[in-house]
Amino acid sequence: MEAEKDKALWKIAKKRVAFRRHFFTYLIVNGFLWTLWYYNGTGTSMYEGLPWPAWVSFGWGIGVAFNYYDAFHGNHDYAAEREYEKLANKKKR
């Protein structure tokens, strides 16, 4: 049972490291895009006044938010473990 717990912790740790890398990449790329937009004039997107990098930041930001939730607040298979224990207890009766 101890080896299974270590595997679960390892999986959570890998998800959190992957999130940090994803977030860092998001910051670097979006910083570059906003800098590019700023220094190449203030061209707007199809909606007047909204800079085109906003679409990238918003869309990718949604993905980063889901990645954050999964890494830090996801159920990490605890729900499956609880369901298994519930079924095992029911079977013992």
Side-chain angles (χ1 to χ4, degrees), residues 1 4-5 8 69 73-93:
M1 188 68 150
E4 291 178 21
K5 294 293 182 183
Y69 180 80
H73 300 289
N75 66 8
H76 303 296
D77 296 330
Y78 295 135
E81 187 175 326
R82 283 190 304 241
E83 186 66 24
Y84 175 80
E85 289 174 5
K86 181 177 155 183
L87 291 171
N89 289 335
K90 196 176 205 181
K91 186 177 179 182
K92 288 180 184 179
R93 293 184 201 172

Side-chain angles (χ1 to χ4, degrees), residues 38-65:
Y38 181 78
Y39 286 111
N40 283 327
T42 56
T44 58
S45 67
M46 59 191 224
Y47 295 104
E48 191 62 36
L50 187 62
W52 62 266
W55 294 105
V56 176
S57 297
F58 179 71
W60 194 353
I62 291 172
V64 170

Side-chain angles (χ1 to χ4, degrees), residues 2 9 35 48 50 54 59 71-72 90:
E2 188 65 27
L9 289 176
T35 302
E48 191 62 36
L50 187 62
F72 290 94
K90 196 176 205 181

